[in-house]
Amino acid sequence: MTYTLLPYQVEDATWLRKQNSLLAHDCGLGKTLIAIEAVKHSARGPILVIAPRLTKLWWSQVINEQDAGFVGVCGRAGRGIPWTKVTSWGSKKPLIWVVIHPTAVRLSIEHLARVRWDTIICDEAHRFKNRQAKQTKALFKLQARHKILLTATPYGKSPADMWSLLRYLYPNDFRSYWTFFERYVSSYKPPGQRFTVIQGPKNLDEMARLIAPFYRKREKKEVLPDLPEMTYADVPVEINGKQKKLYLQLEKEAYAELVGKEIILQNALVRFLRLQQCALDPGILAEGLPAIPLGEIPAKVEWLKDWLEDHPDEPVVIVSRYRRFVEGWLRGLAPEATIVGGMKQEEVQASLKVFEKTGLLVGSLDAVKEGLNLQRASTMIVTDGTWSSTSAYQLSQRIHRIGQKRNCQVIHLVGHLGDKKWTVDKLMRTALQKKFSDARLVNEFIRGLQNEY
């Protein structure tokens, strides 16, 4: 099947050919297709695609369906790269595409850096925002005539999250991280402390003018006005019984014992983590605990079972941050449609096929949030969530994509203890709203200027 490009996709493909670019369209608007269309008509040599492990087969499939050339998908540690075809490429031969995942880039950097790549496409480029990470440093060593970065979430906490991406595109213009940080991020250091507190962005008009020539962002409501609506809801789930008692103990004390296992809270960060786990399922507080360590089914599991019983025909994706919760509780809801980290790509595809038939998929957040087309579902239920606004946004956009015919909803289960007392889940949701607001503010300034270019 050859995909037919929509008018905005044709326009964006033409724009991508003109310069090194950061394409930041909303999830589900076809960034993969746009990039392939741009490159297949302009490349003059081998092409390297860096994509998350679970999306490599998707890239290969679309490249083949668009008749864009020969594709080599590499495995672990870079094995499977068609080096002979890459190094002997000639202008009259079909284009050579190499699809590789970020970890393999780091492990194979010595070989990859020797190739004269015509184009490098980096999908989910926000994975390289940490300038000190080994995989980011490996990316910086890869050069090409043309560079394309794809991500719907180029920034998270602050505009400084974009610096690594901007430096890769234009290293001569973005030399110093701290110069960029001090210019565009409002921050301060508490007296007597070494850490920096980020307050938000600043000088956004100036930053927007700086990057607008090579940054493009489209929103769904702009190009797909008929796409069904997307709504979000925080649904309180009351936690009672022994689970509530344990939560209150961990909230007040630094130690608890659960079925013979010691739980020690060494610092505030550990306390936050354990409280979130306790509000979800006490069984994941320590290794080796039974499925029902307190002799009671966790409150959120009870809620899920009731919801599924009340909505038997509603296609839904249920997600948890914790793999142990997925494997301990959620897998029982959809044993043949479960996706967790570490699965082979063939296993993921098999789960997706079952999901297309049944309309029910469960999975861990990190395994589901990127690269999967889950518009078969119109509801997503997140049992616990994440502190990362980037991850939260990506996750919700798995169901709200081109091809969706029904109104969508994302339900976040927020633990509640009764008597107006919330669990740490509420604090997480409040923090996320602040991050979403800052990211939206940055985006509005940049989008306001992009039409000038």
Side-chain angles (χ1 to χ4, degrees), residues 322-337:
Y322 298 100
R323 177 170 177 168
R324 286 181 61 192
F325 183 72
V326 175
E327 295 181 330
W329 289 106
L330 299 186
R331 187 186 292 274
L333 303 176
E336 296 181 359

Side-chain angles (χ1 to χ4, degrees), residues 126-188:
H126 56 270
R127 289 187 169 211
F128 295 89
K129 69 181 181 181
N130 182 350
R131 71 191 192 284
Q132 297 178 332
K134 291 182 179 179
Q135 69 177 23
T136 303
K137 292 179 179 179
L139 178 67
F140 286 167
K141 295 179 181 179
L142 295 176
Q143 297 304 315
R145 179 187 66 84
H146 189 197
K147 302 173 185 176
I148 298 174
L149 303 183
L150 309 176
T151 174
T153 51
Y155 36 73
K157 293 186 296 184
S158 76
D161 288 343
M162 286 192 289
W163 180 83
S164 290
L165 309 185
L166 301 178
R167 183 195 181 281
Y168 184 61
L169 293 176
Y170 295 99
N172 293 330
D173 297 329
F174 298 93
R175 295 177 180 272
S176 169
Y177 170 79
W178 287 111
T179 297
F180 188 88
F181 182 94
E182 292 170 3
R183 187 63 184 166
Y184 302 116
V185 179
S186 176
S187 64
Y188 71 94

Side-chain angles (χ1 to χ4, degrees), residues 379-397:
T379 297
M380 174 173 285
I381 300 174
V382 186
T383 63
D384 40 82
T386 171
W387 294 94
S388 168
S389 56
T390 298
S391 296
Y393 170 77
Q394 290 176 319
L395 182 64
S396 66
Q397 299 305 302

Side-chain angles (χ1 to χ4, degrees), residues 264-388:
I264 301 175
L265 311 182
Q266 299 98 329
N267 54 54
L269 290 177
V270 174
R271 185 183 298 275
F272 274 128
L273 176 65
R274 297 306 185 207
L275 286 173
Q276 186 192 28
Q277 291 173 335
C278 185
L280 177 65
D281 171 22
I284 59 178
L285 286 170
E287 293 287 345
L289 290 181
I292 310 180
L294 299 174
E296 301 174 348
I297 297 178
K300 292 183 181 180
V301 176
E302 291 277 22
W303 188 96
L304 286 171
K305 290 183 176 181
D306 288 344
W307 190 93
L308 290 172
E309 184 176 341
D310 293 339
H311 304 80
D313 300 321
E314 179 75 15
V316 60
V317 177
I318 304 174
V319 182
S320 171
R321 174 184 176 186
Y322 298 100
R323 177 170 177 168
R324 286 181 61 192
F325 183 72
V326 175
E327 295 181 330
W329 289 106
L330 299 186
R331 187 186 292 274
L333 303 176
E336 296 181 359
T338 299
I339 298 178
V340 295
M343 291 178 64
K344 296 180 179 179
Q345 296 179 62
E346 295 78 9
E347 295 173 327
V348 172
Q349 294 303 314
S351 290
L352 291 176
K353 288 181 180 179
V354 174
F355 167 58
E356 287 296 321
K357 295 179 181 179
T358 65
L360 175 60
L361 177 75
V362 301
S364 58
L365 188 148
D366 284 340
V368 171
K369 69 180 182 181
E370 293 177 341
L372 299 184
N373 298 316
L374 305 180
Q375 59 266 49
R376 167 73 170 86
S378 52
T379 297
M380 174 173 285
I381 300 174
V382 186
T383 63
D384 40 82
T386 171
W387 294 94
S388 168

Side-chain angles (χ1 to χ4, degrees), residues 233-244:
D234 291 348
V235 176
V237 177
E238 187 168 359
I239 296 173
N240 288 307
K242 295 178 181 179
Q243 188 178 2
K244 176 181 179 179

